[in-house]
């Protein structure tokens, strides 16, 4: 791609709305990740559903932001 073409794209992109630019950025980032692994996607979806169910049922141990930050600082430090 030439510098001129790239500059033309930048100009066109700058005319897009914020949500359109965000959608474009999302698509570009996804295109860098390579092919999608549906088994992995399903495993993550299952995990999210299970974690949400644990929170709703009261079976999850929740931390405040301060507690979480303290634990992370202890781990790295």
């Amino acid at each position: 791609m030439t510098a001129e073409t790239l500059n033309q794209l930048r100009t066109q992109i700058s005319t897009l709305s914020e949500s359109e630019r965000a959608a474009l950025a999302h698509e570009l980032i996804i295109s860098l990740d390579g092919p999608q692994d549906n088994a992995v996607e399903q495993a993550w979806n299952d995990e999210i559903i299970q974690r949400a169910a644990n929170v709703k049922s009261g079976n999850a141990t929740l931390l405040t932001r301060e507690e979480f930050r303290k634990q992370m600082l202890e781990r790295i430090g």
Side-chain angles (χ1 to χ4, degrees), residues 24-61:
L24 177 59
H26 178 71
E27 290 177 30
L28 289 171
I29 289 169
I30 286 176
S31 73
L32 298 174
D33 287 341
Q36 181 175 341
D37 185 334
N38 289 333
V40 171
E41 290 296 318
Q42 186 60 51
W44 273 114
N45 287 337
D46 293 346
E47 181 68 19
I48 291 166
I49 290 167
Q50 182 60 47
R51 289 183 187 201
N54 286 340
V55 170
K56 286 181 181 180
S57 69
N59 292 326
T61 303

Side-chain angles (χ1 to χ4, degrees), residues 51-69:
R51 289 183 187 201
N54 286 340
V55 170
K56 286 181 181 180
S57 69
N59 292 326
T61 303
L62 303 178
L63 302 174
T64 66
R65 180 182 184 274
E66 292 78 20
E67 291 168 327
F68 175 78
R69 184 177 171 94

